[in-house]
Amino acid sequence: MKITFMGAGSTVFARNVIGDCMCSEALRDSVFALYDIDGERLEESRTILEAMRAAKGGYGKIECYVGVENRKSALRNADFVVNAIQVGLYDPCTIIDFEVPKKYGLRQTIGDTLGIGGIMRALRTIPVMKDFADDMAEVCPDAFFLNYTNPMAMLTGFMLRYTPIKTVGLCHSVQCCSRDLLSKLGMEDRLEGRKELIAGINHMAWLLQIKDKNGVDLYPEIKSRVDNYLADPEDNDKVRMEYIKNFGYYCTESSEHNAEYNMFYIKSKYPELIEKYNIPLDEYPRRCINQIERWKNEYKEILETGIKEHERSNEYASHIMEAIVTSEPYQIGGNVLNTGNLISNLPADACVEVPCLVNGYGINPCSVGALPVQCAAMNMTNINVQLLTIEAAVTRKKEHIYQAAMLDPHTGSELDIDTIKRMVDDLIEAHGSYLPKYN
């Protein structure tokens, strides 16, 4: 079996996913093909993974492929392809995504999923994903493509609508959603044996049901504790707790993310909201800087002291592969196309996040039915932007980029149409060769 990792220069994530595979008897004898366009970063990953492979008993084989000219070889005969690329990296592209909008008075927190930052990230990533899909159709047409790259719904939606590749989008936020909520509200005693239902869209999938091991609905108690949480000035998940108060349900991704997915919290006319809700503006650039520095120190330590023991994580990737290979069923929250009205009050061409059963037949999404109307309405404010961004990437028409930005809840609530268009033009110019030409 062959498992190819695209963007293997993302060493920490490659270590976790491939390390998980090395912990599985069904996967550990695989060929692990590492691909990146940065040879130095790829070598760091190879060094760590070879040490980990030796510590795990020497099973399998690691191969490295550097550069676009070797991409087909990395993908050839792959059974699974894990995608974790970041086109343009922190420097220059993330910096551009944050600094250019700031000139127009538009502030962001993360900028990788929605908003003007998410739109630009999608537009520079989709052409690369299209190249991946073309190569896969030629050299590994039956492989499963496991996408971890953001913006999740835009990229996965593109792959599912415009390529023949079997694709699922995977996000960490589903696994930890109910655990984090109960822990933050002091309800840790209800964690064991809990039952939950989560559905919606990536980063805004709704915790529709949460019951304890005896089948008792936990939402009444959750709602009774929200005001106390919001009253504490130190607590940092206030946006999602406000969702519970105003929309009735908690959602999957963090408050720093969700603060920029709507028109409610980051408002230049109401600067006091930033402190009230503990909204960390410019959070993602800070994380990037800290992560780069932290990785330098960690890599140096690994070279000096050796690889640390890896225990299998709850990341979905290895469990999906194992379930398909062994036919032992496993449930995930996956990002898939809304084919067959999985969520009946969202569009068929939307990328939705729903429970999926994984087994020897592949990844099988489960029908959820209709979301509460207010939850579907919130999702639609994001889906509008996602669909228009995909349309821009496919048609290469700049008017669709304008429209995506105009209909983005945060951007449209802060800027007028002419300013939005000027900002988009400036972003396109600043990104230069990272973007294709638009008509």
Side-chain angles (χ1 to χ4, degrees):
M1 186 160 55
K2 182 175 180 179
I3 299 168
T4 298
F5 197 109
M6 310 299 283
S10 303
T11 307
V12 174
F13 193 59
R15 176 183 62 187
N16 289 341
V17 169
I18 295 177
D20 287 351
C21 294
M22 292 176 179
C23 293
S24 166
E25 288 188 19
L27 305 174
R28 64 187 184 185
D29 267 328
S30 300
V31 172
F32 300 103
L34 311 181
Y35 170 81
D36 206 282
I37 60 173
D38 187 322
E40 182 178 345
R41 295 182 62 180
L42 188 63
E43 177 59 22
E44 290 179 359
S45 294
R46 185 199 66 77
T47 299
I48 288 171
L49 288 168
E50 283 288 11
M52 184 180 292
R53 188 177 70 87
K56 289 291 183 185
Y59 296 98
K61 181 183 179 183
I62 293 174
E63 298 176 346
C64 290
Y65 300 86
V66 182
V68 173
E69 65 276 14
N70 292 307
R71 189 173 63 210
K72 280 187 184 179
S73 296
L75 291 166
R76 192 175 307 279
N77 299 322
D79 298 282
F80 300 96
V81 178
V82 179
N83 184 53
I85 64 171
Q86 183 181 353
V87 177
L89 301 175
Y90 163 68
D91 189 357
C93 286
T94 293
I95 295 173
I96 292 170
D97 286 345
F98 275 78
E99 293 304 314
V100 171
K102 269 189 205 176
K103 297 176 183 177
Y104 293 88
L106 189 67
R107 302 295 299 274
Q108 300 171 90
T109 54
I110 306 295
D112 72 346
T113 295
L114 206 74
I116 194 63
I119 292 168
M120 301 311 296
R121 182 181 281 231
L123 294 175
R124 63 179 180 264
T125 307
I126 285 175
V128 179
M129 301 273 277
K130 176 66 163 59
D131 290 342
F132 288 0
D134 290 345
D135 286 351
M136 290 179 67
E138 179 181 341
V139 302
C140 59
D142 296 323
F144 288 89
F145 190 78
L146 311 182
N147 179 48
Y148 277 99
T149 297
N150 285 323
M152 178 62 64
M154 298 185 200
L155 302 183
T156 304
F158 168 81
M159 290 290 289
L160 289 167
R161 289 172 60 197
Y162 290 101
T163 82
I165 303 305
K166 294 182 291 189
T167 301
V168 65
L170 305 173
C171 181
H172 322 277
S173 62
V174 176
Q175 293 107 306
C176 59
C177 176
S178 64
R179 182 194 67 210
D180 286 356
L181 173 61
L182 295 178
S183 298
K184 287 170 182 174
L185 293 179
M187 298 172 63
E188 293 91 343
D189 59 318
R190 308 298 186 89
L191 287 170
E192 186 177 354
R194 70 192 184 281
K195 304 173 183 68
E196 64 187 39
L197 173 63
I198 295 175
I201 61 171
N202 179 243
H203 284 191
M204 197 189 280
W206 303 98
L207 181 61
L208 298 171
Q209 297 178 20
I210 174 71
K211 299 178 180 181
D212 69 13
K213 61 184 178 183
N214 298 315
V216 175
D217 183 4
L218 295 180
Y219 256 125
E221 184 174 353
I222 288 168
K223 291 177 180 179
S224 73
R225 297 183 180 219
V226 166
D227 282 339
N228 283 339
Y229 185 93
L230 290 170
D232 187 338
E234 300 301 319
D235 287 332
N236 59 7
D237 197 23
K238 293 180 183 290
V239 169
R240 287 197 291 174
M241 294 301 179
E242 281 274 337
Y243 279 6
I244 296 176
K245 288 190 68 173
N246 294 302
F247 296 98
Y249 299 90
Y250 193 65
C251 81
T252 46
E253 189 48 81
S254 64
S255 282
E256 62 263 25
H257 274 274
N258 269 273
E260 64 183 6
Y261 299 164
N262 54 64
M263 63 290 284
F264 307 129
Y265 301 104
I266 306 175
K267 301 178 78 68
S268 55
K269 287 187 177 180
Y270 301 90
E272 69 274 10
L273 295 177
I274 301 302
E275 182 177 352
K276 178 180 178 180
Y277 291 102
N278 285 336
I279 295 171
L281 296 174
D282 298 321
E283 171 67 11
Y284 188 63
R286 282 194 298 273
R287 288 185 188 178
C288 290
I289 293 168
N290 292 337
Q291 185 178 26
I292 291 167
E293 187 62 30
R294 187 166 59 246
W295 171 243
K296 287 179 183 176
N297 294 333
E298 185 178 350
Y299 185 62
K300 180 180 178 181
E301 181 183 346
I302 288 171
L303 293 178
E304 292 173 353
T305 64
I307 191 71
K308 298 175 183 176
E309 179 63 25
H310 178 80
E311 295 184 6
R312 194 172 187 180
S313 73
N314 66 348
E315 287 290 354
Y316 282 144
S318 70
H319 296 282
I320 290 171
M321 299 179 212
E322 190 175 68
I324 292 173
V325 168
T326 66
S327 293
E328 289 292 326
Y330 185 76
Q331 181 178 313
I332 67 168
N335 289 271
V336 296
L337 206 60
N338 195 28
T339 306
N341 288 321
L342 298 170
I343 298 179
S344 58
N345 52 349
L346 294 182
D349 52 1
C351 181
V352 294
E353 195 165 65
V354 296
C356 300
L357 177 66
V358 187
N359 57 25
Y361 288 100
I363 299 164
N364 309 284
C366 301
S367 177
V368 175
L371 297 178
V373 65
Q374 71 275 18
C375 296
M378 279 287 284
N379 285 166
M380 279 306 306
T381 66
N382 286 222
I383 290 170
N384 293 332
V385 181
Q386 294 162 1
L387 296 182
L388 278 163
T389 303
I390 294 172
E391 194 73 9
V394 171
T395 64
R396 300 284 172 87
K397 291 183 178 179
K398 192 187 293 185
E399 65 183 295
H400 293 313
I401 308 178
Y402 294 152
Q403 291 158 356
M406 288 157 52
L407 288 170
D408 173 67
H410 175 45
T411 304
S413 69
E414 288 283 272
L415 306 179
D416 66 271
I417 289 176
D418 289 340
T419 302
I420 289 171
K421 290 181 177 181
R422 289 198 303 272
M423 179 180 67
V424 167
D425 289 342
D426 282 356
L427 281 162
I428 290 172
E429 182 178 357
H431 280 298
S433 61
Y434 283 103
L435 292 177
K437 298 298 181 185
Y438 289 90
N439 300 319

